[in-house]
Amino acid sequence: MLVGMAIMPHGNEAVYPPDEETRKLHENLKKIGRELRNAETYVLITPHNVRISWALGVIMAEHLIPWLPFNDVDVPVDDEYETDRELAQEIFLGARAEFPVVDINFATYSGRYSRFPLTWGEIIPLYFLEKNPLVLITPAKLERDKLIEFGRFLANLLEKAGKKVAVIVSADHGHAHSEKGPYGYAKESKEYDRRIVEMLKSGNLEGLLEFTDDFITKAKPDSYWSLLMALGILREIPMKPDLVSYACPTYYGMASALFRR
Amino acid sequence: MLVGMAIMPHGNEAVYPPDEETRKLHENLKKIGRELRNAETYVLITPHNVRISWALGVIMAEHLIPWLPFNDVDVPVDDEYETDRELAQEIFLGARAEFPVVDINFATYSGRYSRFPLTWGEIIPLYFLEKNPLVLITPAKLERDKLIEFGRFLANLLEKAGKKVAVIVSADHGHAHSEKGPYGYAKESKEYDRRIVEMLKSGNLEGLLEFTDDFITKAKPDSYWSLLMALGILREIPMKPDLVSYACPTYYGMASALFRR
């Protein structure tokens, strides 16, 4: 069954908070990790692993290896995580009739060489979580309805799974908060983040559908497509939010939220 | 234009030959590397990178990083190779109307984090080749006709490309040559390899279509699906073989061949 869903950021500052606001976020992320410690598997939706223009991905490789930190910042996590291949296979096989989805093996189909690299997009949420098997899902910029439908499909499948599963949405929000950042400044980043935090607090993500494509492009989030999946999950399995916090210590917005049954 | 096509193995013994037969293979691979040194880009078809059940892959990530050797054997190659993104994009965009094909980015769409790992399947051919930009293509076990068609498509596209391109097919053959190997012994491995070498020597790969599925399953090659692409290439652009050699120092068969215009 689905035991909960967390929205977690993947900026280094979430691990090494430079100010009070980010410290609060950090503390909430630690609390989320503790609250989800009874999950047996995490389904981790990440925007910084494989990125395919028209297909969702399910990583099938057995071993998941931290490989690519951001700015060479060391975030202490385990050397290796394991894929929950049974659940990964169920998700892939269940999804493929209705969704463009690929099963991503690497090197060999099983054994020691069946490995896949992890980036900061996975490593930073994992830092806050107890170690559990993972299913990595990689979003794509599909039609909004399709992403919501995928969330609904996922919620129903996880609900029927014979184990406790938590969904982790690795997501950062507007990336154009600072002239000094790589994407410069756009007022839409601030507005996007304000509305995301409002939605997280209310527990109602339907407002995502009010954002225009142009607004999203200007706000430069990596969260939007994964949050549409989260919206689909919440449509099937209503959950209540807690531990919502927000910080923007550099050029991108980071938020935490835990959705509980 | 397409300047040539090489069939190259990816066993460690090709680099560190343990016997005379394998040394001959090693020498031929070095000759192939020298003969292809004027290519400006290699299209490298590899069975040990991403493996998707129903889609071909084109790796779009900018930087390609040797990551996963076999048996921890160090094969001295560069720390980083670059993708020829222009050609990779042309291949993906050209193929997607007719073939199931995905464009694989990783971490970010460009810049230092746009990286992807390489395995022995790529590293060992690269050891023998002058350094050039690469387009990695990952095969899938599609219908035979579809793989041949993809080879034809690729040949025509490369022929029109404004640069000299060589195709490298990274391939090992039967993997069940020895009771002591991980796949045990099957007489079909020997027969598969015998017929492959015969085809490489004659330069006519049409005999691939005579193999039954059952025979291929028993012979346990990783070469079959990539060689169907090579067959498609040869149907469009006839080339003559040279530097054919074969060795089986452990449990799998390795072969070299260079197809010249």
Side-chain angles (χ1 to χ4, degrees):
Chain A
M1 71 173 285
L2 182 64
V3 297
M5 175 168 72
I7 315 296
M8 301 179 81
H10 47 250
N12 288 325
E13 300 77 19
V15 176
Y16 303 110
D19 56 35
E20 262 319 298
E21 202 171 35
T22 317
R23 190 174 311 279
K24 181 74 167 69
L25 174 74
H26 174 88
E27 292 302 326
N28 274 345
L29 292 167
K30 290 210 285 194
K31 284 179 196 162
I32 289 172
R34 284 197 294 273
E35 289 232 19
L36 293 178
R37 72 184 176 281
N38 293 326
E40 294 161 279
T41 290
Y42 306 121
V43 170
L44 175 48
I45 301 171
T46 170
H48 286 299
N49 200 275
V50 162
R51 305 178 109 173
I52 293 169
S53 60
W54 63 273
L56 312 176
V58 182
I59 307 298
M60 306 299 304
E62 262 182 55
H63 313 287
L64 302 169
I65 315 295
W67 186 58
L68 189 56
F70 198 77
N71 265 345
D72 302 319
V73 172
D74 181 51
V75 172
V77 289
D78 275 44
D79 290 342
E80 184 171 321
Y81 290 78
E82 302 304 316
T83 291
D84 181 337
R85 299 189 100 189
E86 186 186 59
L87 185 60
Q89 187 75 358
E90 260 186 77
I91 293 170
F92 168 66
L93 293 177
R96 68 178 175 177
E98 269 189 80
F99 303 96
V101 60
V102 292
D103 53 332
I104 299 175
N105 278 287
F106 188 80
T108 58
Y109 288 114
S110 61
R112 68 178 277 210
Y113 300 108
S114 173
R115 300 160 87 78
F116 209 68
L118 300 178
T119 74
W120 70 94
E122 302 84 59
I123 291 168
I124 289 174
L126 289 173
Y127 169 82
F128 291 102
L129 296 164
E130 297 280 317
K131 192 173 183 180
N132 267 323
L134 305 173
V135 179
L136 290 195
I137 292 182
T138 65
K141 296 181 179 176
L142 308 180
E143 293 290 317
R144 298 175 186 210
D145 282 355
K146 207 73 186 167
L147 292 165
I148 296 170
E149 278 309 302
F150 184 79
R152 295 182 61 188
F153 153 78
L154 194 58
N156 286 316
L157 184 145
L158 299 181
E159 193 62 4
K160 287 180 207 135
K163 57 187 113 180
K164 294 177 191 159
V165 187
V167 171
I168 311 296
V169 178
S170 172
D172 285 334
H173 309 286
H175 278 63
H177 282 276
S178 165
E179 288 287 2
K180 291 179 203 151
Y183 306 103
Y185 177 80
K187 65 183 190 307
E188 288 81 2
S189 276
K190 194 173 179 177
E191 177 63 6
Y192 179 92
D193 289 14
R194 188 187 68 72
R195 292 177 69 180
I196 293 290
V197 172
E198 200 176 87
M199 287 187 242
L200 292 177
K201 282 184 174 159
S202 72
N204 181 345
L205 301 186
E206 298 289 337
L208 288 168
L209 298 174
E210 291 163 16
F211 294 171
T212 65
D213 288 346
D214 181 58
F215 175 76
I216 296 163
T217 301
K218 285 177 177 154
K220 296 209 187 305
D222 63 46
S223 57
Y224 188 72
W225 303 270
S226 307
L227 287 175
L228 288 176
M229 292 183 183
L231 167 55
I233 290 171
L234 291 171
R235 279 195 188 166
E236 286 300 302
I237 301 180
M239 293 185 275
K240 286 196 178 126
D242 194 7
L243 301 171
V244 176
S245 51
Y246 176 80
C248 185
T250 65
Y251 60 90
Y252 52 92
M254 300 191 288
S256 66
L258 174 66
F259 286 83
R260 280 198 205 91
R261 301 298 291 254
Chain B
M1 71 173 285
L2 181 65
V3 297
M5 175 168 72
I7 316 296
M8 301 178 82
H10 48 250
N12 288 325
E13 300 77 18
V15 176
Y16 303 110
D19 55 36
E20 262 318 297
E21 201 170 37
T22 317
R23 189 175 312 278
K24 181 74 169 65
L25 175 73
H26 174 88
E27 291 304 324
N28 274 345
L29 292 167
K30 289 208 287 194
K31 284 180 196 161
I32 289 172
R34 283 197 294 273
E35 289 232 19
L36 294 178
R37 72 183 177 282
N38 291 326
E40 293 162 278
T41 290
Y42 306 121
V43 170
L44 174 49
I45 302 172
T46 169
H48 286 300
N49 201 275
V50 162
R51 304 176 109 173
I52 293 170
S53 60
W54 63 273
L56 311 176
V58 182
I59 307 299
M60 307 298 304
E62 260 181 57
H63 312 288
L64 302 169
I65 315 295
W67 186 58
L68 189 55
F70 197 77
N71 266 344
D72 303 319
V73 172
D74 181 50
V75 173
V77 289
D78 275 45
D79 290 342
E80 185 171 319
Y81 290 78
E82 303 304 317
T83 291
D84 181 336
R85 298 189 102 189
E86 187 185 60
L87 185 60
Q89 186 75 0
E90 259 186 78
I91 293 171
F92 168 67
L93 293 177
R96 68 177 175 179
E98 269 188 82
F99 303 96
V101 59
V102 292
D103 53 333
I104 300 175
N105 278 286
F106 189 79
T108 57
Y109 289 113
S110 60
R112 68 179 275 209
Y113 300 108
S114 173
R115 300 161 88 77
F116 208 69
L118 300 179
T119 73
W120 70 93
E122 302 83 61
I123 291 168
I124 289 175
L126 289 173
Y127 169 82
F128 291 101
L129 296 164
E130 298 280 317
K131 192 173 184 181
N132 267 323
L134 305 173
V135 179
L136 290 195
I137 293 183
T138 65
K141 295 179 180 180
L142 308 180
E143 294 289 318
R144 298 175 185 209
D145 281 356
K146 207 73 184 167
L147 291 165
I148 295 170
E149 277 310 302
F150 184 80
R152 295 182 59 188
F153 153 79
L154 194 59
N156 286 315
L157 185 145
L158 298 181
E159 194 61 6
K160 287 179 207 135
K163 59 187 111 181
K164 294 178 194 159
V165 186
V167 171
I168 312 295
V169 178
S170 172
D172 286 334
H173 309 286
H175 277 63
H177 281 276
S178 165
E179 287 288 2
K180 292 181 202 149
Y183 306 104
Y185 176 80
K187 65 182 189 307
E188 288 80 2
S189 276
K190 193 170 180 181
E191 176 64 7
Y192 180 93
D193 290 13
R194 188 186 67 74
R195 291 177 68 178
I196 292 292
V197 172
E198 200 176 85
M199 286 187 243
L200 292 176
K201 282 185 175 161
S202 72
N204 181 346
L205 301 186
E206 297 289 337
L208 288 168
L209 297 174
E210 291 163 18
F211 294 172
T212 66
D213 288 346
D214 181 58
F215 175 77
I216 296 163
T217 302
K218 285 177 177 155
K220 297 209 184 309
D222 62 44
S223 57
Y224 190 72
W225 303 270
S226 307
L227 287 176
L228 287 177
M229 292 182 182
L231 166 56
I233 290 171
L234 290 172
R235 279 194 189 168
E236 287 301 303
I237 300 179
M239 293 185 275
K240 287 200 179 121
D242 193 8
L243 300 172
V244 176
S245 51
Y246 176 80
C248 185
T250 64
Y251 60 90
Y252 52 91
M254 301 191 288
S256 67
L258 174 65
F259 286 84
R260 280 198 204 90
R261 301 297 291 256

